[in-house]
Amino acid sequence: MDKHSKKSSSLLHYPVLVVFSLFFLGLFALDLITPDRAYSEMENTTLSQRPALTQLSAKGLNSYFTAYTKYVKDQVFGRDEWISLQSVVETTLLQKEQNGGILLGKEHMMFPRTFSLLDSENRTLPKNTAAVEALCQRHPGKVDVLLAPAASVIYPENVPANAPLLDEDAYLDQLSAAVQAAGGRFVDVRQTLAEHKDEYIYYRTDHHWTSLGAYYAYRQLCGTLGLIPFDPAAHTALTAENFYGTHYSKARTWNAVPDTITYYDLPNSLTIYNVTAAGQPADGQTTGLYDTDKLNVYDKYAMFLHGNNGLSRIEGDGTGRILVIKDSYANCFAPYLTANYAQIDVVDFRNYNYGLDQLIADNDYDQILVLYSFDSFKSDPYLYRAGVAG
């Protein structure tokens, strides 16, 4: 028997090694012929691209191999399927009650694993609270602050047992007191949402409230301001099925129940503005309230208001003007305001890098609404601009 035959024969004594070797060789070959992806739609994240070796030194080589390891992990063939398989193993075989930083609760609900404020949030939350206080003080009687609680506040019984979640109620109580002391109104929607918890007011797989949850909060705002609320029965309700949200993209559970997005067929126009160096609206693009093309992609919620634009204006059917300072919770909320105001201006500080005083002076708003989820409010690094004078 020649040396080659002996070697082949000895390998047959290790079939598992042979199978794994062939598997990884095949995976390597597939990686070579599969184009790199720039973006993972399911994870809503940018993927690493092949790094370049720019420096032949210990530091340069270390940086290169670190980047290359991340690149291989991001671009591995069948990445989405591997992540899903990992989730199946961990949640089904190992009976884990969390995956990817998401708590897997009852009724197929998913909750972010938020045990305490991060160090960065311990710095940001006081700054954002001070910014809103300053806004209330500069515009007394005009500012309403509405912070949507997390689903875990409304559905504590569906959170996995003994999960040490953040005591959000205590922070909301403190914020309510601070806003009112500064001359604003705090619209506390916790009781209203709790009264409707048997209805579909939060998505199961996403961090947002549903259009129905937003509607109940909107009705409470109308009661506070003495407004006649939007009447859903007078409009055609449309739905989009098979929505898997941000929690699902992290947990990737095999038995997740998809959500349904509901919206109303409203004819109102939305103008998305470019912004001048002074923070004022320049030429813009006018369209409808909804980007229905987004219903054909993974992030279906982005159809509301065409996503998170810096400055946009909705033409309403009522009278007067309102400024909405918001995170994405307001995107399904703002269309209801068309029943009450002629002009609804919407600012998202993620894409609006200015203070508000000039914008407010130019438009003489009747009301100013700060609408955030508490989760965004405690962490938003840009909300401080609401308190900047000028």
Side-chain angles (χ1 to χ4, degrees):
M1 183 178 293
D2 59 27
K3 291 183 179 180
H4 180 73
S5 298
K6 287 182 179 180
K7 189 174 182 180
S8 299
S9 177
S10 63
L11 284 175
L12 293 177
H13 292 295
Y14 305 97
V16 175
L17 176 62
V18 171
V19 169
F20 270 93
S21 298
L22 291 173
F23 171 76
F24 283 111
L25 282 172
L27 194 61
F28 178 72
L30 287 170
D31 280 338
L32 289 178
I33 64 175
T34 304
D36 290 347
R37 295 190 299 164
Y39 186 78
S40 171
E41 187 178 15
M42 182 172 289
E43 297 171 85
N44 193 26
T45 189
T46 300
L47 299 177
S48 300
Q49 301 301 297
R50 185 185 296 274
L53 179 59
T54 57
Q55 190 176 358
L56 284 173
S57 65
K59 182 178 180 181
L61 288 170
N62 181 65
S63 177
Y64 172 77
F65 284 118
T66 299
Y68 192 82
T69 300
K70 189 174 189 308
Y71 160 75
V72 170
K73 181 181 177 182
D74 280 6
Q75 298 295 343
V76 65
F77 179 79
R79 172 186 170 86
D80 292 341
E81 288 71 22
W82 287 117
I83 294 174
S84 296
L85 178 60
Q86 178 187 4
S87 176
V88 170
V89 171
E90 292 183 347
T91 59
T92 305
L93 300 181
L94 303 181
Q95 296 293 301
K96 288 182 65 175
E97 291 186 322
Q98 57 179 291
N99 199 54
I102 298 298
L103 298 172
L104 307 176
K106 298 176 182 177
E107 305 296 330
H108 296 281
M109 293 190 74
M110 301 179 183
F111 305 92
R113 190 179 62 185
T114 308
F115 297 156
S116 62
L117 292 183
L118 302 174
D119 289 342
S120 60
E121 292 170 341
N122 277 315
R123 296 188 296 270
T124 302
L125 179 56
K127 290 180 182 179
N128 291 348
T129 302
V132 170
E133 288 175 307
L135 186 69
C136 293
Q137 290 164 355
R138 291 206 306 276
H139 306 282
K142 285 190 175 184
V143 180
D144 293 275
V145 178
L146 194 165
L147 298 184
S152 57
V153 174
I154 308 302
Y155 297 96
E157 68 279 7
N158 287 346
V159 178
N162 302 316
L165 288 181
L166 177 73
D167 183 9
E168 196 169 301
D169 280 323
Y171 289 103
L172 288 170
D173 290 343
Q174 292 170 15
L175 285 163
S176 175
V179 167
Q180 293 180 75
R185 284 182 296 263
F186 189 86
V187 184
D188 191 341
V189 297
R190 284 174 288 180
Q191 183 61 40
T192 294
L193 293 174
E195 289 170 358
H196 294 277
K197 66 186 302 180
D198 292 335
E199 301 174 56
Y200 185 40
I201 60 172
Y202 280 85
Y203 294 117
R204 291 178 291 269
T205 69
D206 192 66
H207 64 287
H208 293 103
W209 53 17
T210 65
S211 296
L212 182 60
Y215 179 70
Y216 286 130
Y218 158 77
R219 283 184 62 95
Q220 183 173 339
L221 176 66
C222 287
T224 300
L225 298 178
L227 303 173
I228 298 174
F230 177 95
D231 181 9
H235 301 275
T236 302
L238 303 174
T239 58
E241 307 293 336
N242 296 315
F243 169 46
Y244 291 90
T246 53
H247 292 339
Y248 173 79
S249 68
K250 297 175 183 176
R252 209 71 65 82
T253 52
W254 64 274
N255 60 344
V257 176
D259 284 296
T260 299
I261 289 178
T262 298
Y263 61 105
Y264 293 92
D265 186 17
L266 303 180
N268 305 79
S269 66
L270 169 74
T271 301
I272 301 169
Y273 287 105
N274 297 315
V275 181
T276 68
Q280 301 308 299
D283 52 312
Q285 177 184 1
T286 299
T287 182
L289 290 179
Y290 312 110
D291 181 2
T292 53
D293 287 343
K294 288 292 192 299
L295 297 177
N296 299 316
V297 302
Y298 183 78
D299 185 14
K300 291 178 171 57
Y301 188 84
M303 59 86 66
F304 289 108
L305 303 192
H306 296 250
N308 301 313
N309 301 291
L311 176 62
S312 53
R313 175 170 295 164
I314 301 170
E315 299 298 328
D317 305 314
T319 58
R321 301 170 177 172
I322 186 171
L323 172 64
V324 181
I325 304 162
K326 61 90 178 177
D327 71 359
S328 56
Y329 264 63
N331 292 7
C332 67
F333 181 108
Y336 298 130
L337 293 170
T338 58
N340 311 110
Y341 295 95
Q343 177 182 316
I344 303 107
D345 285 359
V346 182
V347 164
D348 191 312
F349 280 119
R350 284 169 289 188
N351 296 295
Y352 185 84
N353 305 323
Y354 314 93
L356 294 171
D357 282 359
Q358 192 59 53
L359 184 69
I360 292 172
D362 289 346
N363 289 277
D364 190 25
Y365 297 110
D366 300 284
Q367 296 296 142
I368 300 170
L369 173 64
V370 179
L371 200 168
Y372 272 69
S373 67
F374 174 73
D375 185 62
S376 290
F377 187 90
K378 67 182 173 57
S379 59
D380 187 344
Y382 311 112
L383 181 55
Y384 76 89
R385 294 171 184 150
V388 176

